[in-house]
Amino acid sequence: MGGSAMGPSGNCVCPSCGQTATHQVGVPCTQVKCPKCGQPMTRQR
């Protein structure tokens, strides 16, 4: 099962607190923890 193929640009966003972080190529947002609250982030659409 692959990612959603949204390309290299964009942001990751925390579904809990709304904090955003720049998406890093090759690192799925779901593997990034929110720097503010520690929850897994999702890809901003």
Side-chain angles (χ1 to χ4, degrees), residues 9-15 18-25 27-35 40-45:
S9 63
N11 291 318
C12 298
V13 64
C14 177
Q19 179 76 23
T20 59
T22 303
H23 175 255
Q24 295 181 16
V25 176
V27 181
C29 288
T30 55
Q31 292 183 359
V32 177
K33 292 197 179 193
C34 175
M41 300 183 89
T42 58
R43 188 69 182 265
Q44 189 175 43
R45 296 184 188 263

